[in-house]
Amino acid sequence: GQQLNQSPQSMFIQEGEDVSMNCTSSSIFNTWLWYKQEPGEGPVLLIALYKAGELTSNGRLTAQFGITRKDSFLNISASIPSDVGIYFCAGHKPVNAGKSTFGDGTTLTVKP
Amino acid sequence: KAGVTQTPRYLIKTRGQQVTLSCSPISGHRSVSWYQQTPGQGLQFLFEYFSETQRNKGNFPGRFSGRQFSNSRSEMNVSTLELGDSALYLCASSLGGPGLTYEQYFGPGTRLTVT
């Protein structure tokens, strides 16, 4: 079946540093989504990308839809302690209706 | 707008019992998807309902079932519970109609523990 490879699996960084994570797939997706999940909560949608090559920002977060449509990247600039959590990428294609395929997540720890 | 709500938030059941979880989507959203989240398997898709019809189904046994009501609220049922069913069950809603985006908004989840 479809699989998303998300890396790195975990990151330990100092407050103020920039963070990069990415997701690759063997399949083409029409939509890439990035979520953040904190303990005891459901994933929260951060950014949605709809076109190959698209670059979208949400505050200190920037995500890109790869031109091959098989990958996506998320960058967080000037990290702060509240950025701690698990970041998931998800790919979607219309033929799958309400099913998104999720990566395994990147666990981010930020040291003050 | 109110977000996605799920009840109950926590549940402890015994092997062999059955359980029903409930999800109320964001107002105006007609698609409701269910996912199982475990440390070992990540987020796994269970099924999706749109306008009271199951539109897509993941690779889970028939013990897992769901339904959607005319007001878009959805329930999922797990019968004959097994220890391996212990997980966080997440519901996600989206507009979901033809030509619309599939941005999914998640509820807080129901933490099911099977003993």
Side-chain angles (χ1 to χ4, degrees):
Chain A
Q2 297 162 0
Q3 281 194 318
L4 295 187
N5 297 309
Q6 188 172 348
S7 64
Q9 194 172 18
S10 60
M11 302 183 76
F12 296 83
I13 63 167
Q14 206 73 35
E15 182 176 0
E17 290 183 357
D18 296 345
V19 170
S20 289
M21 57 190 80
N22 70 78
C23 221
T24 59
S25 170
S26 56
S27 304
I28 289 174
F29 288 106
N30 296 75
T31 303
W32 282 95
L33 305 148
W34 285 92
Y35 292 86
K36 177 188 177 187
Q37 186 175 27
E38 297 184 32
E41 299 298 327
V44 173
L45 181 63
L46 299 172
I47 292 179
L49 301 155
Y50 301 104
K51 285 188 202 173
E54 179 183 353
L55 189 72
T56 297
S57 293
N58 178 5
R60 293 178 295 104
L61 277 60
T62 302
Q64 183 161 25
F65 192 138
I67 56 172
T68 65
R69 298 168 65 193
K70 293 183 179 182
D71 56 4
S72 180
F73 305 86
L74 176 70
N75 296 315
I76 305 173
S77 63
S79 58
I80 59 178
S82 63
D83 290 334
V84 165
I86 305 176
Y87 291 80
F88 291 97
C89 63
H92 183 270
K93 50 180 82 172
V95 68
N96 288 341
K99 172 188 174 183
S100 291
T101 301
F102 282 80
D104 288 337
T106 295
T107 300
L108 178 63
T109 303
V110 180
K111 299 180 217 173
Chain B
K1 254 188 189 174
V4 179
T5 57
Q6 291 187 245
T7 56
R9 291 291 309 271
Y10 303 91
L11 208 46
I12 300 175
K13 289 285 188 178
T14 305
R15 263 184 309 177
Q17 288 185 315
Q18 73 159 16
V19 67
T20 299
L21 312 182
S22 181
C23 171
S24 292
I26 292 170
S27 177
H29 283 193
R30 293 162 64 192
S31 167
V32 174
S33 298
W34 289 89
Y35 293 84
Q36 181 195 65
Q37 186 177 29
T38 58
Q41 297 295 318
L43 274 146
Q44 299 289 314
F45 173 77
L46 282 154
F47 31 65
E48 182 231 1
Y49 288 86
F50 178 80
S51 293
E52 302 180 66
T53 301
Q54 188 181 87
R55 195 162 60 168
N56 201 347
K57 189 176 186 316
N59 297 323
F60 278 81
R63 300 185 297 107
F64 292 82
S65 63
R67 59 178 175 167
Q68 187 180 35
F69 302 95
S70 58
N71 62 358
S72 294
R73 190 177 71 85
S74 177
E75 289 181 345
M76 68 163 278
N77 184 278
V78 188
S79 62
T80 320
L81 283 165
E82 300 178 359
L83 294 178
D85 296 334
S86 294
L88 181 67
Y89 289 89
L90 292 160
C91 159
S93 81
S94 69
L95 288 167
L100 297 174
T101 69
Y102 283 91
E103 294 174 15
Q104 292 185 316
Y105 297 86
F106 284 84
T110 294
R111 171 73 63 187
L112 172 64
T113 302
V114 182
T115 62

Short mmCIF file of all heavy atoms in Angstrom, two decimals, chain A residues 33-58:
data_model
loop_
_atom_site.label_atom_id
_atom_site.label_comp_id
_atom_site.label_asym_id
_atom_site.label_seq_id
_atom_site.Cartn_x
_atom_site.Cartn_y
_atom_site.Cartn_z
N LEU A 33 -0.44 17.68 3.50
CA LEU A 33 -0.91 18.34 4.72
C LEU A 33 0.12 18.13 5.83
O LEU A 33 0.76 17.08 5.90
CB LEU A 33 -2.25 17.74 5.17
CG LEU A 33 -3.34 17.76 4.09
CD1 LEU A 33 -4.27 16.57 4.23
CD2 LEU A 33 -4.15 19.03 4.17
N TRP A 34 0.28 19.13 6.67
CA TRP A 34 1.15 19.01 7.83
C TRP A 34 0.33 19.28 9.09
O TRP A 34 -0.41 20.26 9.16
CB TRP A 34 2.32 19.99 7.74
CG TRP A 34 3.35 19.55 6.75
CD1 TRP A 34 3.43 19.88 5.42
CD2 TRP A 34 4.46 18.68 7.01
NE1 TRP A 34 4.50 19.26 4.84
CE2 TRP A 34 5.15 18.52 5.78
CE3 TRP A 34 4.94 18.01 8.14
CZ2 TRP A 34 6.30 17.73 5.67
CZ3 TRP A 34 6.07 17.23 8.03
CH2 TRP A 34 6.74 17.10 6.81
N TYR A 35 0.51 18.38 10.07
CA TYR A 35 -0.20 18.47 11.32
C TYR A 35 0.78 18.48 12.49
O TYR A 35 1.89 17.96 12.38
CB TYR A 35 -1.11 17.24 11.51
CG TYR A 35 -2.29 17.15 10.57
CD1 TYR A 35 -2.17 16.56 9.31
CD2 TYR A 35 -3.54 17.62 10.97
CE1 TYR A 35 -3.26 16.46 8.47
CE2 TYR A 35 -4.64 17.51 10.13
CZ TYR A 35 -4.50 16.93 8.89
OH TYR A 35 -5.58 16.83 8.05
N LYS A 36 0.31 19.01 13.61
CA LYS A 36 1.07 18.94 14.86
C LYS A 36 0.16 18.33 15.92
O LYS A 36 -1.01 18.71 16.04
CB LYS A 36 1.51 20.34 15.31
CG LYS A 36 2.25 20.33 16.66
CD LYS A 36 2.48 21.75 17.16
CE LYS A 36 3.15 21.74 18.52
NZ LYS A 36 3.24 23.09 19.11
N GLN A 37 0.73 17.39 16.68
CA GLN A 37 -0.04 16.76 17.74
C GLN A 37 0.68 16.93 19.06
O GLN A 37 1.87 16.64 19.17
CB GLN A 37 -0.26 15.27 17.44
CG GLN A 37 -1.19 14.59 18.43
CD GLN A 37 -1.47 13.14 18.05
OE1 GLN A 37 -0.67 12.49 17.39
NE2 GLN A 37 -2.61 12.62 18.47
N GLU A 38 -0.06 17.38 20.06
CA GLU A 38 0.48 17.51 21.41
C GLU A 38 -0.14 16.42 22.28
O GLU A 38 -1.20 15.86 21.94
CB GLU A 38 0.19 18.90 21.95
CG GLU A 38 0.87 19.99 21.12
CD GLU A 38 0.69 21.38 21.70
OE1 GLU A 38 0.59 21.51 22.94
OE2 GLU A 38 0.64 22.33 20.90
N PRO A 39 0.52 16.09 23.38
CA PRO A 39 0.05 14.98 24.22
C PRO A 39 -1.41 15.13 24.62
O PRO A 39 -1.85 16.21 25.04
CB PRO A 39 0.97 15.05 25.44
CG PRO A 39 2.21 15.69 24.93
CD PRO A 39 1.78 16.67 23.88
N GLY A 40 -2.17 14.06 24.46
CA GLY A 40 -3.57 14.04 24.88
C GLY A 40 -4.52 14.74 23.94
O GLY A 40 -5.70 14.88 24.26
N GLU A 41 -4.02 15.16 22.77
CA GLU A 41 -4.88 15.88 21.83
C GLU A 41 -4.83 15.22 20.46
O GLU A 41 -3.95 14.41 20.17
CB GLU A 41 -4.44 17.34 21.71
CG GLU A 41 -4.51 18.14 22.99
CD GLU A 41 -5.93 18.25 23.52
OE1 GLU A 41 -6.87 18.29 22.70
OE2 GLU A 41 -6.12 18.26 24.77
N GLY A 42 -5.78 15.61 19.60
CA GLY A 42 -5.73 15.15 18.23
C GLY A 42 -4.82 16.04 17.41
O GLY A 42 -4.44 17.14 17.84
N PRO A 43 -4.42 15.58 16.22
CA PRO A 43 -3.57 16.40 15.35
C PRO A 43 -4.28 17.69 14.95
O PRO A 43 -5.48 17.69 14.70
CB PRO A 43 -3.34 15.50 14.13
CG PRO A 43 -3.59 14.12 14.62
CD PRO A 43 -4.66 14.25 15.66
N VAL A 44 -3.50 18.77 14.89
CA VAL A 44 -4.02 20.07 14.48
C VAL A 44 -3.42 20.41 13.13
O VAL A 44 -2.20 20.35 12.95
CB VAL A 44 -3.66 21.16 15.51
CG1 VAL A 44 -4.05 22.54 15.00
CG2 VAL A 44 -4.36 20.87 16.84
N LEU A 45 -4.27 20.78 12.18
CA LEU A 45 -3.79 21.11 10.83
C LEU A 45 -2.99 22.41 10.87
O LEU A 45 -3.46 23.44 11.36
CB LEU A 45 -4.98 21.26 9.89
CG LEU A 45 -4.66 21.58 8.44
CD1 LEU A 45 -3.85 20.46 7.79
CD2 LEU A 45 -5.94 21.82 7.64
N LEU A 46 -1.77 22.35 10.32
CA LEU A 46 -0.88 23.52 10.29
C LEU A 46 -0.91 24.18 8.91
O LEU A 46 -1.08 25.39 8.80
CB LEU A 46 0.55 23.11 10.61
CG LEU A 46 0.80 22.50 11.99
CD1 LEU A 46 2.24 21.98 12.07
CD2 LEU A 46 0.53 23.51 13.09
N ILE A 47 -0.67 23.37 7.89
CA ILE A 47 -0.55 23.90 6.53
C ILE A 47 -1.10 22.86 5.56
O ILE A 47 -0.87 21.66 5.74
CB ILE A 47 0.93 24.20 6.18
CG1 ILE A 47 1.45 25.38 7.02
CG2 ILE A 47 1.08 24.52 4.69
CD1 ILE A 47 2.91 25.73 6.74
N ALA A 48 -1.79 23.33 4.52
CA ALA A 48 -2.26 22.48 3.44
C ALA A 48 -1.68 23.00 2.13
O ALA A 48 -1.64 24.21 1.90
CB ALA A 48 -3.79 22.48 3.38
N LEU A 49 -1.21 22.09 1.28
CA LEU A 49 -0.57 22.44 0.01
C LEU A 49 -1.31 21.73 -1.11
O LEU A 49 -1.59 20.53 -1.01
CB LEU A 49 0.89 21.99 0.03
CG LEU A 49 1.75 22.59 1.14
CD1 LEU A 49 2.92 21.67 1.46
CD2 LEU A 49 2.28 23.96 0.74
N TYR A 50 -1.57 22.47 -2.21
CA TYR A 50 -2.41 21.91 -3.27
C TYR A 50 -1.75 21.82 -4.63
O TYR A 50 -2.31 21.17 -5.53
CB TYR A 50 -3.69 22.73 -3.39
CG TYR A 50 -4.48 22.77 -2.11
CD1 TYR A 50 -4.48 23.90 -1.30
CD2 TYR A 50 -5.20 21.66 -1.69
CE1 TYR A 50 -5.18 23.92 -0.11
CE2 TYR A 50 -5.91 21.67 -0.50
CZ TYR A 50 -5.89 22.81 0.29
OH TYR A 50 -6.58 22.84 1.46
N LYS A 51 -0.62 22.51 -4.82
CA LYS A 51 -0.02 22.52 -6.15
C LYS A 51 1.45 22.17 -6.07
O LYS A 51 2.16 22.65 -5.17
CB LYS A 51 -0.11 23.92 -6.77
CG LYS A 51 -1.45 24.34 -7.27
CD LYS A 51 -1.30 25.66 -8.01
CE LYS A 51 -2.63 26.38 -8.06
NZ LYS A 51 -2.50 27.73 -8.62
N ALA A 52 1.94 21.40 -7.04
CA ALA A 52 3.36 21.08 -7.11
C ALA A 52 4.17 22.38 -7.14
O ALA A 52 3.85 23.29 -7.90
CB ALA A 52 3.65 20.24 -8.33
N GLY A 53 5.20 22.42 -6.30
CA GLY A 53 6.05 23.61 -6.23
C GLY A 53 5.55 24.68 -5.29
O GLY A 53 6.27 25.63 -4.98
N GLU A 54 4.34 24.53 -4.80
CA GLU A 54 3.75 25.56 -3.93
C GLU A 54 4.54 25.69 -2.63
O GLU A 54 4.97 24.71 -2.05
CB GLU A 54 2.31 25.17 -3.62
CG GLU A 54 1.56 26.13 -2.69
CD GLU A 54 0.15 25.63 -2.38
OE1 GLU A 54 -0.28 24.62 -2.97
OE2 GLU A 54 -0.50 26.26 -1.54
N LEU A 55 4.75 26.94 -2.22
CA LEU A 55 5.43 27.25 -0.96
C LEU A 55 4.43 28.07 -0.13
O LEU A 55 3.96 29.11 -0.58
CB LEU A 55 6.69 28.06 -1.25
CG LEU A 55 7.65 28.32 -0.10
CD1 LEU A 55 8.39 27.04 0.28
CD2 LEU A 55 8.68 29.39 -0.51
N THR A 56 4.12 27.59 1.07
CA THR A 56 3.11 28.26 1.89
C THR A 56 3.63 28.47 3.29
O THR A 56 4.28 27.58 3.85
CB THR A 56 1.82 27.42 1.94
OG1 THR A 56 1.28 27.32 0.63
CG2 THR A 56 0.78 28.06 2.85
N SER A 57 3.35 29.64 3.85
CA SER A 57 3.80 29.95 5.21
C SER A 57 2.62 30.13 6.15
O SER A 57 1.54 30.57 5.74
CB SER A 57 4.66 31.22 5.21
OG SER A 57 5.87 30.99 4.53
N ASN A 58 2.88 29.81 7.41
CA ASN A 58 1.91 30.04 8.48
C ASN A 58 2.73 30.49 9.68
O ASN A 58 3.22 29.67 10.45
CB ASN A 58 1.14 28.75 8.77
CG ASN A 58 0.16 28.93 9.91
OD1 ASN A 58 -0.03 30.03 10.44
ND2 ASN A 58 -0.48 27.85 10.31
#
